[in-house]
Amino acid sequence: NGADPDAAPVAAGSHLDSVPDGGIFDGPLGVYAAVEAVRAMRDAGIEPDRPVLVSSFTEEEGSTFGDGLLGSSVATGETDAETALALENDAGETLANALSRIGYRGEGLLDPAGWDCFFELHVEQDTVLESAGVDVGVVTTITGITHCVVEIMGEANHAGATAMDDRTDALAAASEFVLDVESAANDIVETDSETAVGTVGSLSVSPNATNVVPGRVACGVDVRDVTRGSMEEIASAAHESLARLERNRGVETTLNRPFHVDPTGMSDRLRTVAHDAAADAGRSAIDLHSGAAHDAMRVAGATDA
């Protein structure tokens, strides 16, 4: 009540999907907090100048359809709706079918470019605030993310009949690659950017039998930082590691980068509002970067976030 219906709305929200062992706060906190803020304003009889919009974006995590930030990517025009709806999960079901099955296949499109701004409340997912004894972190920059898909091909052979000096062991090569990525990230942290991270988070070994020398390993690599330059350095180190393994171990390798999001700075205007709000509420607040990706980084391309 009282809001000018033609004014650009203030939007707030997050996502509801999660990851294995993701806990109850990652995503839902931001949606529930936005709903609660609207309820609290109504109960207090506050009449805002602008409409307040609550959003819940689909498939932020990328655990089931796509690589992440899917709903906000469609909303901001980074991805068209038809492409998103055609994505399939591991069972071969499309996103369109999944949404229809649960009654959430909509027709309209959000347009964040028409919003005055967007706020996303999120659990920190680290212990910086806890260690500092501070209530609130006001995000300065959301990390960029590069995903690399690496294949290391050796030769599968009998573990008992194949001499040690006659092996092309893909898993032994992959173990060196994992350590090389870790070492490259640590070097960047020591010399250039303390917020850089590099992770080999998944390995798929074939034929994955105890009595067979591994013939193929697929690796999933995650590189993040608040500056693109340091991310590229870690990715380059991954390329160099694979080239060395080809020379020294005789394996064949490939590296593809199917997903990349640049670091995204947050709105100075909204950061000032957040600090002022914390002070008004008697809560301590500090500036903090976000090492996790959030829908706010897509929305930031369309309006203040």
Side-chain angles (χ1 to χ4, degrees):
N1 294 331
D4 178 359
D6 296 324
V10 172
S14 192
H15 61 97
L16 294 177
D17 60 295
S18 189
V19 296
D21 299 324
I24 64 173
F25 295 112
D26 180 0
L29 177 65
V31 179
Y32 293 170
V35 172
E36 172 62 15
V38 172
R39 186 201 64 79
M41 285 190 286
R42 284 180 171 175
D43 288 352
I46 293 174
E47 296 185 355
D49 294 331
R50 299 179 179 275
V52 178
L53 181 152
V54 177
S55 66
S56 177
F57 289 110
T58 297
E59 192 57 88
E60 188 268 355
E61 298 288 1
S63 298
T64 309
F65 297 97
D67 292 302
L69 306 176
L70 183 62
S72 53
S73 293
V74 172
T76 55
E78 295 276 346
T79 304
D80 65 82
E82 290 75 19
T83 299
L85 291 169
L87 291 170
E88 295 184 354
N89 61 18
D90 291 340
E93 183 179 26
T94 65
L95 176 60
N97 287 341
L99 291 173
S100 296
R101 177 167 49 80
I102 63 174
Y104 276 84
R105 173 72 184 272
E107 296 299 329
L109 285 173
L110 291 177
D111 182 16
W115 300 348
D116 176 72
C117 62
F118 175 70
F119 286 98
E120 182 172 10
L121 181 68
H122 207 281
V123 65
E124 182 195 353
Q125 299 173 284
D126 198 0
T127 58
V128 173
L129 297 177
E130 180 182 4
S131 298
V134 174
D135 299 315
V136 178
V138 179
V139 172
T140 55
T141 305
I142 298 178
T143 185
I145 302 177
T146 281
H147 284 171
C148 304
V149 176
V150 172
E151 284 193 320
I152 300 174
M153 283 74 70
E155 185 177 2
N157 269 312
H158 194 288
T162 309
M164 294 302 295
D165 62 357
D166 196 27
R167 300 181 176 206
T168 308
D169 187 327
L171 183 57
S175 68
E176 292 189 28
F177 175 72
V178 171
L179 294 176
D180 285 347
V181 171
E182 180 187 50
S183 177
N186 281 330
D187 288 345
I188 295 295
V189 168
E190 291 179 6
T191 62
D192 185 37
S193 175
E194 63 180 14
T195 55
V197 292
T199 307
V200 180
S202 68
L203 294 176
S204 176
V205 182
S206 177
N208 200 33
T210 302
N211 59 348
V212 179
V213 176
R216 175 184 171 276
V217 178
C219 311
V221 184
D222 182 296
V223 177
R224 307 186 185 212
D225 199 16
V226 296
T227 60
R228 178 161 185 169
S230 57
M231 295 168 61
E232 293 297 334
E233 288 188 52
I234 297 172
S236 294
H239 277 288
E240 293 168 5
S241 172
L242 295 176
R244 179 181 60 79
L245 292 171
E246 289 187 351
R247 293 192 303 270
N248 296 348
R249 284 188 167 272
V251 294
E252 296 179 358
T253 69
T254 63
L255 185 152
N256 295 305
R257 294 172 64 173
F259 180 72
H260 177 84
V261 180
D262 278 334
T264 305
M266 296 289 96
S267 161
D268 289 340
R269 173 172 73 104
L270 301 195
R271 289 178 53 228
T272 297
V273 168
H275 276 291
D276 291 346
D280 289 345
R283 299 294 181 181
S284 54
I286 59 172
D287 286 336
L288 192 70
H289 88 284
S290 174
H294 302 292
D295 289 308
M297 66 194 308
R298 288 300 195 202
V299 178
T303 189
D304 285 355

